Amino acid sequence: MWQGVIPAVTTKFTADDKLDYNEMERCFKFLMDAGCDGLIACGSLGEGPFLSHDERIEVLKVTKQVTGAKPALLTVAEASTRDACALAEKGAKAGADGLMVVPSTIYHTNAKETIANLRAIAAAADLPVMIYSNRIAYRVDVTTDMLEELADDKRFVAVKESSDDIRRTTEIINRLGRRYDVFTGVDNLAFEALTAGAIGWVAGLVVAFPHETVAIYRLVQAGRYAEALDIYRWFRPLLDLDVSTYLVQNIKLVEAMVIDSNERVRLPRMPLEGEPRTRAEAVVKAALANRPKLPSFA
C-alpha cells in the first residue's frame, strides 16, 4: 500500500512560537517536488508530543494540502489509549490518509497491553496504520510475534522498523511475507534495510537532502547497489545526526544551513550551541563541499 521515501517532516514555528504555515508549506513542497512518496506529520522529529492536538491537526492539514494524491500520515504518540484514540479520530476527520502509531509513551506496556492499545487506536480512526516499532527510543518493542498476532486486522498495513537490529527486517519478511509494508526508520541503517527487503524509508535528513535520499532509494530498487552505496557512504555522517538525543536540533540546524529554513524548536528544547553545534556544522560543511553528482533515471 505504501512504499518509497516518506519523510518525517519537521514542524516550523514563528519567532513567537506559533505554527509557521508558510514555511511548512514551502519545505513540504520542496520534498514532494524532489520525488518523495508522501509525508508524515508530527512524529518525533516533528515535535509531535510538544504540540497540542489542535496544532497537530493543523500541521496535518498543511501536509495533506501539499501531498495531494500521495499519502499524508498523522503520528499518534500518546501516553494513554484514551488520548491516542481521541487524536486518531480527529486525524481521520481532518483527512489523514493513515496513521503512524507509537504503541505507548511514558508507560512501557507489556505485549498484551501493546496489542490492545494498537487495536483500539486502529479501530478509533478506521484508517490504515503504520506501526512504529522503536524499542530504543520508546522502550516498547513490537516484535515479529506481535506483528503476526495483529495481522488479522487489515488496518495494520505497514511497520516502521526501528529496533536497531538489521536482522529484524529479514525476520519479518521470512515470517509474514509481504503482509506488512516494511519501512526502515533508522537513517543510518537505511541502505542495509533496503537491500534486505524493506520497501520504504521513513527518513529524517531527507528534509534537507531529498534528492540524495530519493536517489538512494531508487537506485536500490533498480538493483544499482554500487551507485546507491557511493551516495550512502557520502551521506552517512549526515545520517548519523538523526540517531541522537538532539536529532530535532541537529536536523533543524541542517535545514537552516542547506535550505535556508530556521532552527526554531519548542521549549524545553533549545537550538544547539557549543561543541555539539560546532560538530554538526562541520559535518554539514564537509558534506556540502563534496556533494555527489546524482545519476539520471530512465
Side-chain angles (χ1 to χ4, degrees), residues 19-199:
L19 295 178
D20 189 337
Y21 296 95
N22 290 336
E23 182 63 358
M24 284 190 284
E25 183 178 356
R26 182 184 79 86
C27 292
F28 298 173
K29 189 174 186 299
F30 171 59
L31 297 174
M32 299 306 296
D33 288 347
C36 291
D37 299 287
L39 300 174
I40 299 176
C42 305
S44 302
L45 182 56
E47 297 171 83
F50 293 65
L51 307 175
S52 69
H53 280 196
D54 287 346
E55 286 178 316
R56 280 181 259 189
I57 295 303
E58 289 300 305
V59 176
L60 169 67
K61 289 178 180 178
V62 178
T63 306
K64 181 62 181 170
Q65 176 183 331
V66 172
T67 57
K70 293 185 178 180
L73 278 62
L74 175 66
T75 304
V76 174
E78 297 292 303
S80 73
T81 302
R82 181 193 65 179
D83 290 346
C85 289
L87 179 58
E89 290 176 0
K90 291 175 183 176
K93 290 178 181 177
D97 296 301
L99 306 176
M100 183 173 75
V101 179
V102 178
S104 179
T105 59
I106 310 300
Y107 173 65
H108 306 143
T109 50
N110 63 30
K112 181 179 179 181
E113 292 168 329
T114 301
I115 288 169
N117 187 42
L118 288 168
R119 288 191 187 278
I121 297 166
D126 196 25
L127 289 173
V129 171
M130 177 186 291
I131 299 169
Y132 184 6
S133 178
N134 189 335
R135 64 186 181 187
I136 305 299
Y138 300 113
R139 312 264 182 102
V140 176
D141 190 10
V142 184
T143 64
T144 306
D145 287 343
M146 294 163 72
L147 291 174
E148 185 171 21
E149 186 170 344
L150 290 163
D152 62 347
D153 189 332
K154 292 182 180 180
R155 288 172 290 214
F156 296 114
V157 301
V159 56
K160 178 184 175 183
E161 212 316 280
S162 301
S163 68
D164 211 36
D165 182 353
I166 195 61
R167 294 169 294 190
R168 183 70 67 82
T169 299
T170 299
E171 289 170 4
I172 293 170
I173 295 170
N174 280 352
R175 176 87 66 87
L176 298 165
R178 290 299 180 180
R179 166 61 185 81
Y180 293 95
D181 297 333
V182 180
F183 281 69
T184 179
V186 182
D187 264 6
N188 62 5
L189 278 178
F191 178 84
E192 293 83 351
L194 290 170
T195 54
I199 64 168

Side-chain angles (χ1 to χ4, degrees), residues 5-9 45 160 184-185 187 201-207 213 242:
V5 175
I6 303 185
V9 295
L45 182 56
K160 178 184 175 183
T184 179
D187 264 6
W201 181 358
V202 177
L205 268 298
V206 64
V207 297
T213 308
D242 182 61

